[in-house]
């Protein structure tokens, strides 16, 4: 049997991807030249001989900053020592590739990862500016910035730079930054200390903790008397750490520690941001509404507005003075955020929404100030100020931003609901040697340690992942898996943290705590997916880079296009409103163009949809690892399925056994059990269970298992080894042939008969002779046929690739409607088959569950791992189907199609306002219809475009599965 398994989730699903990082050593100081030397290793493809190595060494050796180059053509590796101050990794890699070879960076094992909260980002150009600032820092290997999440994930070499310098670089770029986490946040505990009065006490506690096995890192907050401890949950736990602190104290001044739960920073910051925009909008309205009344309402209601035209001096009226006084706080106090944002944007040689708003509102304001001064100094000047344009523009934009942040907060609702699933407290019990409960106490869920016994009463939530050791009940897992019907749980069954116990009382042994729980992994995976940038986002990024400068140029051209012809009398005078002149009309058109073309909505089109879709997918039992997988899934044309554990239930049973030699059945069973006991493959487990049952039937104790030596796994074929003085092989026909074990006519007949019944034959060879065989059947999943039929209706072909024999594979394929089968395929062969299909130009998905499927999952355009499968398969996959239900293959593809459709619609909303709004704002309709877009209305349109995009993405919350789960 293959070394395939259905092991429990032992590692976090979300592992730091280091595919884009490099192996950088700690810089050494070259004392001769007083310079730091770093080294980097590349995997070089295409080298055939020593001359290839020489050409690479020659090309790289000429680079300024490269100190030495060592190339091994046999290993396909190149090690380069260089001076980081003179040359960077990217330049070295490009120079290497210019020589005609491919270069892949080796993954870095010691790269640190931190997550940062970024403040002050308004649009895509802002997030790009943050990314550029981060990538320019020496020591930063990879940086991803999420606009909607307002977060950055940074991979960096901790020997070159630390988080404080990274935060400084972000602040220098004009944005705020605070550290969310560094390293694995899940296996940390925050404790509040009491009885700590001086630095010596801190030193005592720190020494005690650091000497405790399992403690990884200890950091203190001296002012708040708090300590944060990173630990290995397999070795220690929060309660043990609290006990360690208490034992470090002494009688005159004992120490005590209690759990401290930090506030949810993101939620608090979201609420703060909402309050800030709301308050600024209200303050702006306090001044803007009177200006609007004085400028646009009262003058139309004589005699109530006549007093506004009263001249104070020369042509200066009361209305002008009041408008100026009321507009100034809006322009410079409320609108200060736009000045600050513009300053930082221009300083880093980019332009964003703040630049456009500042340009537009300043043009209106300062022209109005010019009109006021001219009216004060002239007895004949007649000009129209439009302070209301500036004030209303800022007010409408603040309203739009307020509505936008409220709506954006809802895009992460699904993630917050997942986070809230875990209960706050749990009942910890102690058992005596007979399994009786001796004590029970209520503790905080965060204090649970591995191997704790937790009592779960009816109606209570399961606090952590574990195994039932006593009791029976039904557990509702819909909040994790989307499975509507409660699942029966009994002794030995697994339970998932966050699920609801329905009717019975259970005693559960905690097996996974902290970041290892399925719920924690799901949350981490969804967060990573929401932060990742989908390839389709590149379009928006490219547009936004040139968008603002283009808009400014178009606005200037618009102003000149109206002002010059107006002055020259090219268009009729009656086109100009009686309360304006040529300059004012042209200026209003120019300001409207500036404001209506803001690119905010463009930057929100993709990330908001990805956020909602990944959160919705997680709540439906489909974990999507980022925007790349989400985007590729809708292009799938062919799906390759593994058989065992994927199309079949994965719990095979032996349905017949037979002897082919003089060996007694007891000895055949003993040999098979000894060999197969070391394999994790489902078929191996079925053989072991059946063999033990047979031994009991013969009146022997089947519990003792003989030791096997020289054990060897033959992927896709079986296992072998020495049991006592006998050589044993247990596996399929291919294994027997590879070891030249003759397979007689009688054996072939038995195999053929069972293969046509979709059964797998496991042959047991002892000392080069087939001694017996077991026929194993693995029932097909009840939903398999329905899924294959539905995929066909979607225009997607299905293929089965299995390590089993052709007859068994064909029988299963025929039962569920798959026409193409590739049998007796090893793990590498599965990956090769994927690559063959890809060479035909097809987008290929792979669905599998075992270790032997992981190469194919990684090779496929979209890898889908069955959730009950092994950790390796889950790590290699792009999409994880938590429920192990094949119907979620359809769900994943359909959700991808719906999301990409929504993203395209979002681009229509985002670009539609600009494409339609800009010509109208520029006055293209004015000569024919008299319709023009005032600047304040242009601001409202800009706000509406962002709001439309976010609301459009939120409609994905109503997503329904195309196939409802069937229960049998």
């Amino acid at each position: 049997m293959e070394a395939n398994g259905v092991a429990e989730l032992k590692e976090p699903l979300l592992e730091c991807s280091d595919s884009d990082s490099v192996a950088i050593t700690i810089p050494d100081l070259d004392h001769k030249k007083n310079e730091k030397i770093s080294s980097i290793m590349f995997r070089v493809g295409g080298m055939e001989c020593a001359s290839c190595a020489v050409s690479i060494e020659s090309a790289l050796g000429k680079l300024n900053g490269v100190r030495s180059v060592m190339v091994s053509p046999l290993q396909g590796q190149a090690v380069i020592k260089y001076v980081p101050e003179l040359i960077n990794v990217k330049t070295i890699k490009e120079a290497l590739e210019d020589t005609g070879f491919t270069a892949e960076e080796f993954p870095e094992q010691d790269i640190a990862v931190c997550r940062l909260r970024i403040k002050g980002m308004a649009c895509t150009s802002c997030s790009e500016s943050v990314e550029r600032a981060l990538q320019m820092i020496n020591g930063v290997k990879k940086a991803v910035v999420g606009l909607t999440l307002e977060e950055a994930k940074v991979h960096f070499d901790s020997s070159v730079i630390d988080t404080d310098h990274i935060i400084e670089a972000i602040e220098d770029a004009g944005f705020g930054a605070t550290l969310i986490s560094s390293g694995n946040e899940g296996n940390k505990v925050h404790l509040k200390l009491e009885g700590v009065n001086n630095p010596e006490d801190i030193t005592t506690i720190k020494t005690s903790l650091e000497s405790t096995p399992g403690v990884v890192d200890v950091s203190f907050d001296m002012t708040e008397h708090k300590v944060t401890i990173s630990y290995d949950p397999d070795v220690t736990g929060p309660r043990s750490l609290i006990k360690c602190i208490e034992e470090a104290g002494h009688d005159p001044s004992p120490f005590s520690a209690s759990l401290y739960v930090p506030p949810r920073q993101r939620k608090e910051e979201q609420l703060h941001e909402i309050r800030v925009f709301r308050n600024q909008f209200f303050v702006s309205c306090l001044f803007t509404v009177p200006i609007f009344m004085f400028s646009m309402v009262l003058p139309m209601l004589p005699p109530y507005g006549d007093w506004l035209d009263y001249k104070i001096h020369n042509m200066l009226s009361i209305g002008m003075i009041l408008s100026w006084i009321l507009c100034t706080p809006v322009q410079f106090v409320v609108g200060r955020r736009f000045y600050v944002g513009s300053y930082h944007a221009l300083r880093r040689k980019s332009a964003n929404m703040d630049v456009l708003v500042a340009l537009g509102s300043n043009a209106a304001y300062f022209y109005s100030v010019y009109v006021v001064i001219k009216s004060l100094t002239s007895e004949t000047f007649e000009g129209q100020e439009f302070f209301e344009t500036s004030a209303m523009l800022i007010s409408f934009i603040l309203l739009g931003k307020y509505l936008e942040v409220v709506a954006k907060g809802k895009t992460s609702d699904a993630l917050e609901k997942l986070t809230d699933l875990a209960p706050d407290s749990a009942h910890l019990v102690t058992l005596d040697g007979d399994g009786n409960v001796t004590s029970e106490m209520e503790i905080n869920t965060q204090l649970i340690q591995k191997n704790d016994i937790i009592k779960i009463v009816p109606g209570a939530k399961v606090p952590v992942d574990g195994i039932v050791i006593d009791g029976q009940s039904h557990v509702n897992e819909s909040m994790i898996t989307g499975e509507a019907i409660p699942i029966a749980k009994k002794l030995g069954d697994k339970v998932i943290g966050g699920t609801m116990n329905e009717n019975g009382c259970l005693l559960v042994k905690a097996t996974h705590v902290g970041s290892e729980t399925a719920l924690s992994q799901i949350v981490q995976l969804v967060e990573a997916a929401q932060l990742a940038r989908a390839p389709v986002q590149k379009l928006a990024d490219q547009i936004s880079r040139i968008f603002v400068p283009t808009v400014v140029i178009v606005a200037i051209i618009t102003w000149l296009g109206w002002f010059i012809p107006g002055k020259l009398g090219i268009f009729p005078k009656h086109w100009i409103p009686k309360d304006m002149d040529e300059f004012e009309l042209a200026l209003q058109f120019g300001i409207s163009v500036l404001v209506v073309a803001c690119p905010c909505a463009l930057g929100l089109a993709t990330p908001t949809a990805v956020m909602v879709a990944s959160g919705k997918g997680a709540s439906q039992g489909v974990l999507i690892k980022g925007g790349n997988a989400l985007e590729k899934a809708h292009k799938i044309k062919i799906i390759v399925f593994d058989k065992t554990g994927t199309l079949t239930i994965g719990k095979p049973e032996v349905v017949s056994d037979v002897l082919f030699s003089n060996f007694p059945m007891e000895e055949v069973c003993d040999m098979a059990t000894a060999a197969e006991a070391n394999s994790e493959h489902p078929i191996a487990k079925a053989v072991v269970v059946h063999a033990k049952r047979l031994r009991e039937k013969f009146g022997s104790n089947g519990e003792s298992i003989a030791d096997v030596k020289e054990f060897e796994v033959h992927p896709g074929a079986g296992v072998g080894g020495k049991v006592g003085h006998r050589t044993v092989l247990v596996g399929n026909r291919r294994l027997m042939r590879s070891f030249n074990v003759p397979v007689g006519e009688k054996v072939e007949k038995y195999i053929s008969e069972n293969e046509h019944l979709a059964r797998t034959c496991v042959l047991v060879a002892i000392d080069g002779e087939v001694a017996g065989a077991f026929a194993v059947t693995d029932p097909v999943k009840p939903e398999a046929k329905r899924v294959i039929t539905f995929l066909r209706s979607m225009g997607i072909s299905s293929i089965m690739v299995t390590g089993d024999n052709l007859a068994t594979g064909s029988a299963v394929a025929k039962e569920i409607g798959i026409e193409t089968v590739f049998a007796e395929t090893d793990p590498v062969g599965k990956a090769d088959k994927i690559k063959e299909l890809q060479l035909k130009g097809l987008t290929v998905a792979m669905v599998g569950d075992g270790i032997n499927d992981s190469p194919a999952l990684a090779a496929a355009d979209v890898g889908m791992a069955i959730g009950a499968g092994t950790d390796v398969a889950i790590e290699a996959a792009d999409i994880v189907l938590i429920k192990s239900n094949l119907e979620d293959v359809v769900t994943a593809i359909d959700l991808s199609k719906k999301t990409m459709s929504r993203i395209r619609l979002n681009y229509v909303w985002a670009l539609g306002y600009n494409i339609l709004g800009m010509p109208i704002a520029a006055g293209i309709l004015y000569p024919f219809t008299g319709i023009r877009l005032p600047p304040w209305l242009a601001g409202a349109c800009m706000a509406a475009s962002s709001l439309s995009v976010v609301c459009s993405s939120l409609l994905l919350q109503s997503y329904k599965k195309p196939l409802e789960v069937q229960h049998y």
Side-chain angles (χ1 to χ4, degrees):
M1 313 308 103
E2 299 106 323
N4 184 0
V6 189
E8 59 197 51
L9 296 177
K10 297 176 183 174
E11 301 294 335
L13 292 178
L14 179 66
E15 293 291 339
C16 299
S17 174
D18 296 320
S19 58
D20 294 328
S21 44
V22 293
I24 302 254
T25 60
I26 298 173
D28 300 315
L29 193 65
D30 188 336
H31 296 287
K32 294 178 182 178
K33 298 182 181 178
N34 195 30
E35 60 186 18
K36 285 183 179 179
I37 303 291
S38 292
S39 67
I40 179 173
M41 186 183 295
F42 289 102
R43 186 180 288 110
V44 183
M47 288 195 296
E48 296 177 354
C49 57
S51 62
C52 298
V54 171
S55 63
I56 292 173
E57 288 174 355
S58 174
L60 296 183
K62 295 175 183 176
L63 298 175
N64 181 34
V66 171
R67 294 292 174 256
S68 71
V69 183
M70 292 175 288
V71 181
S72 169
L74 293 176
Q75 294 178 326
Q77 296 177 0
V79 179
I80 301 103
K81 290 191 175 183
Y82 67 102
V83 181
E85 286 79 8
L86 300 177
I87 193 168
N88 58 31
V89 173
K90 185 180 178 183
T91 306
I92 296 172
K93 184 180 178 183
E94 287 174 353
L96 200 161
E97 289 174 339
D98 285 344
T99 61
F101 302 96
T102 60
E104 290 182 20
E105 301 160 352
F106 273 83
E108 171 57 71
Q109 300 301 319
D110 299 321
I111 289 289
V113 181
C114 69
R115 286 173 60 218
L116 303 166
R117 176 89 60 233
I118 310 296
K119 299 174 184 175
M121 292 193 298
C123 57
T124 308
S125 61
C126 296
S127 61
E128 280 201 318
S129 297
V130 176
E131 270 193 19
R132 280 197 299 271
L134 288 169
Q135 287 167 351
M136 288 171 66
I137 304 170
N138 185 33
V140 169
K141 306 302 168 199
K142 180 183 176 184
V144 182
V145 179
L147 174 62
T148 46
L149 275 181
E150 295 178 333
E151 286 183 16
K153 189 173 183 180
V154 185
H155 299 244
F156 62 98
D157 186 346
S158 56
S159 64
V160 178
I161 194 169
D162 57 21
T163 52
D164 291 337
H165 286 92
I166 292 172
I167 290 171
E168 278 179 27
I170 295 171
E171 289 173 345
D172 285 344
F175 300 93
T178 53
L179 185 67
I180 300 174
S181 67
S182 183
N184 189 348
E185 188 72 7
N187 292 332
K188 286 185 180 180
V189 62
H190 305 273
L191 301 175
K192 180 86 171 175
L193 301 175
E194 293 181 13
V196 178
N197 303 311
N198 51 59
E200 287 76 17
D201 291 342
I202 295 289
T203 304
T204 302
I205 292 172
K206 187 172 184 181
T207 303
S208 178
L209 287 171
E210 288 178 340
S211 62
T212 302
V215 171
V216 178
D217 183 59
V218 180
S219 61
F220 285 89
D221 182 346
M222 310 290 276
T223 56
E224 297 287 332
H225 283 186
K226 292 169 188 170
V227 60
T228 301
I229 309 163
S230 301
Y231 64 94
D232 181 351
D234 289 321
V235 182
T236 188
R239 297 200 312 282
S240 301
L241 297 172
I242 290 173
K243 186 178 179 183
C244 173
I245 292 171
E246 291 172 348
E247 289 176 349
H250 41 82
D251 287 337
S253 56
F255 302 143
S256 65
S258 57
L259 185 68
Y260 166 71
V261 182
R264 274 194 196 168
Q265 192 175 6
R266 172 149 179 78
K267 190 67 179 174
E268 285 191 352
E269 287 180 356
Q270 272 186 347
L271 293 172
H272 174 71
E273 188 180 23
I274 289 170
R275 283 195 298 270
V276 166
F277 276 114
R278 183 192 63 199
N279 294 341
Q280 287 186 342
F281 171 66
F282 285 154
V283 170
S284 181
C285 285
L286 190 66
F287 295 96
T288 303
V289 171
I291 298 174
F292 176 75
M293 296 294 292
F294 296 157
S295 302
M296 305 184 73
V297 178
L298 290 178
M300 300 177 68
L301 300 173
Y304 303 107
D306 292 348
W307 61 278
L308 292 169
D309 290 329
Y310 179 77
K311 302 295 188 291
I312 298 172
H313 182 73
N314 288 339
M315 301 302 289
L316 182 65
S317 66
I318 291 177
M320 287 182 179
I321 291 294
L322 287 175
S323 295
W324 190 10
I325 292 170
L326 291 169
C327 179
T328 301
V330 177
Q331 184 69 35
F332 298 107
V333 179
V334 178
R336 179 177 178 272
R337 65 183 305 116
F338 301 114
Y339 286 103
V340 173
S342 300
Y343 165 73
H344 288 301
L346 295 172
R347 201 185 73 170
R348 57 181 183 262
K349 298 178 181 178
S350 67
N352 60 6
M353 177 200 79
D354 294 330
V355 173
L356 295 180
V357 174
L359 280 173
S361 61
N362 277 332
Y365 179 84
F366 286 107
Y367 176 73
S368 300
V369 170
Y370 161 76
V371 170
V372 169
I373 295 171
K374 191 76 173 174
S375 299
L376 177 66
T377 57
S378 172
E379 296 180 0
T380 57
F381 176 76
E382 289 188 8
Q384 175 65 33
E385 47 75 27
F386 36 91
F387 286 114
E388 81 285 347
T389 294
S390 168
M392 289 174 70
L393 174 59
I394 290 172
S395 296
F396 270 108
I397 288 170
L398 288 174
L399 174 62
K401 293 298 289 181
Y402 167 66
L403 295 173
E404 183 186 312
V405 293
V406 170
K408 274 166 64 178
K410 295 185 182 296
T411 60
S412 56
D413 277 356
L415 187 59
E416 286 181 14
K417 287 175 184 175
L418 283 172
T419 308
D420 291 335
L421 286 178
D424 295 326
S425 61
H427 293 277
L428 176 69
V429 299
T430 307
L431 305 180
D432 59 18
D434 298 324
N436 299 314
V437 176
T438 58
S439 67
E440 181 178 333
M441 63 183 292
E442 189 172 344
I443 63 169
N444 191 294
T445 304
Q446 294 189 30
L447 293 176
I448 296 175
Q449 300 183 179
K450 272 195 176 179
N451 299 319
D452 280 346
I453 308 300
I454 309 297
K455 179 182 177 182
I456 305 166
V457 298
K461 286 184 176 180
V462 180
V464 292
D465 295 2
I467 296 175
V468 176
I469 61 168
D470 189 36
Q472 291 186 1
S473 183
H474 284 79
V475 175
N476 187 336
E477 298 183 343
S478 61
M479 59 281 289
I480 299 288
T481 66
E483 189 74 45
I485 295 178
I487 310 298
K489 299 292 179 181
K490 59 184 186 304
L491 181 66
D493 287 344
K494 296 176 187 175
V495 290
I496 304 172
T499 56
M500 180 73 73
N501 184 26
E502 293 279 335
N503 47 15
C505 185
L506 296 174
L507 288 185
V508 172
K509 182 179 181 180
T511 57
H512 298 76
V513 297
S515 65
E516 294 181 347
T517 64
L519 181 61
S520 177
Q521 293 175 39
I522 290 168
V523 170
Q524 291 179 58
L525 195 58
V526 175
E527 283 181 339
Q530 293 180 346
L531 191 61
R533 183 171 293 173
V536 71
Q537 175 71 13
K538 291 177 182 176
L539 173 63
D541 296 344
Q542 290 166 354
I543 293 172
S544 67
R545 282 196 197 102
I546 59 169
F547 203 78
V548 175
T550 303
V551 168
V552 173
I553 293 169
V554 171
I556 293 170
I557 292 171
T558 299
W559 175 70
L560 292 173
W562 281 98
F563 177 62
I564 294 173
K567 274 292 184 186
L568 297 175
I570 295 175
F571 59 76
K573 288 289 183 184
H574 69 265
W575 284 11
I576 303 171
K578 59 182 179 180
D579 55 349
M580 289 188 188
D581 61 15
E582 299 88 351
F583 180 85
E584 291 169 353
L585 179 66
L587 188 61
Q588 285 229 358
F589 281 127
I591 293 171
S592 294
V593 169
L594 276 178
V595 176
V596 81
C598 220
C600 294
L602 200 61
L604 294 170
T606 298
T608 53
V610 170
M611 277 185 74
V612 177
S614 55
K616 187 65 178 177
S619 66
Q620 300 269 11
V622 178
L623 293 184
I624 302 167
K625 293 185 178 181
N628 195 21
L630 193 64
E631 182 173 341
K632 281 185 178 177
H634 85 286
K635 301 175 183 175
I636 293 171
K637 291 298 178 187
I638 193 163
I639 300 182
V640 177
F641 288 93
D642 172 48
K643 181 175 76 69
T644 307
T646 303
L647 291 171
T648 61
I649 290 173
K651 293 181 179 178
E653 291 183 357
V654 176
V655 291
S656 82
D657 50 72
V658 66
L659 289 174
F660 293 114
S661 68
N662 296 324
F663 287 101
M665 181 58 79
E666 295 97 312
E667 188 170 357
V668 172
C669 288
D670 286 344
M671 296 297 162
T673 302
E676 295 283 49
N678 293 286
S679 175
E680 285 294 312
H681 196 283
I683 292 179
K685 291 183 176 181
V687 169
V688 170
V689 169
H690 183 76
K692 286 182 178 180
R693 198 180 294 130
L694 276 178
R695 291 288 287 153
E696 291 172 5
K697 183 179 176 182
F698 287 117
S700 306
N701 182 8
E703 291 301 318
S704 59
I705 300 174
D707 290 333
V708 60
K709 297 177 181 177
E710 300 177 23
F711 177 76
E712 191 174 358
V713 176
H714 305 281
V719 296
K722 280 189 173 291
V723 181
H725 63 279
R726 297 191 182 280
T727 302
V728 179
L729 293 170
V730 183
N732 57 24
R733 190 182 324 173
R734 185 150 53 94
L735 181 68
M736 302 299 141
R737 286 173 181 166
S738 62
F739 282 86
N740 299 317
V741 176
V743 179
E745 187 178 332
K746 190 177 177 182
V747 179
E748 286 284 5
K749 184 181 178 184
Y750 178 80
I751 293 172
S752 178
E753 288 173 353
N754 282 282
E755 284 179 349
H756 284 96
L757 296 172
R759 296 173 181 174
T760 300
C761 286
V762 179
L763 306 178
V764 181
I766 303 174
D767 291 336
E769 179 186 357
V770 177
F774 300 97
V776 183
T777 186
D778 185 6
V780 171
K781 287 183 177 178
E783 74 275 9
K785 185 173 183 179
R786 187 164 176 249
V787 169
I788 300 301
T789 304
F790 196 89
L791 287 171
R792 193 178 295 117
S793 71
M794 295 171 71
I796 298 171
S797 304
S798 300
I799 290 176
M800 180 197 293
V801 178
T802 177
D804 216 332
N805 60 79
L806 181 59
T808 304
S810 298
V812 172
K814 185 178 180 181
E815 184 179 344
I816 61 177
I818 291 180
E819 296 177 357
T820 308
V821 179
F822 296 99
E824 299 185 15
T825 311
D826 60 16
V828 176
K830 290 182 180 181
D832 290 340
K833 188 58 63 178
I834 299 278
K835 290 170 184 173
E836 279 179 31
L837 294 168
Q838 288 171 329
L839 288 172
K840 296 177 182 177
L842 299 169
T843 302
V844 183
M846 170 71 192
V847 184
D849 70 318
I851 291 172
N852 60 331
D853 296 325
S854 54
L857 288 168
D861 295 294
V862 180
M864 299 187 191
I866 297 296
T870 61
D871 304 331
V872 177
I874 288 169
E875 286 302 324
D878 302 300
I879 296 172
V880 181
L881 313 177
I882 304 174
K883 293 184 299 177
S884 304
N885 193 305
L886 285 175
E887 290 177 346
D888 286 337
V889 172
V890 176
T891 302
I893 296 170
D894 186 63
L895 181 59
S896 170
K897 288 179 182 290
K898 295 284 195 305
T899 305
M900 293 309 299
S901 174
R902 185 62 54 182
I903 289 172
R904 284 191 285 268
L905 181 61
N906 285 353
Y907 278 131
V908 171
W909 280 114
L911 293 171
Y913 277 90
N914 293 327
I915 293 169
L916 294 175
M918 279 182 70
I920 297 171
I924 195 168
L925 298 179
Y926 187 65
F928 314 106
T929 62
I931 295 174
R932 61 189 178 91
L933 200 64
W936 63 268
L937 189 56
C941 288
M942 188 215 75
S945 68
S946 296
L947 196 60
S948 300
V949 165
V950 177
C951 291
S952 171
S953 294
L954 283 172
L955 288 175
L956 282 170
Q957 290 278 22
S958 61
Y959 173 79
K960 301 291 182 186
K961 291 184 178 183
L963 280 172
E964 287 301 321
V965 179
Q966 299 292 306
H967 301 282
Y968 296 83

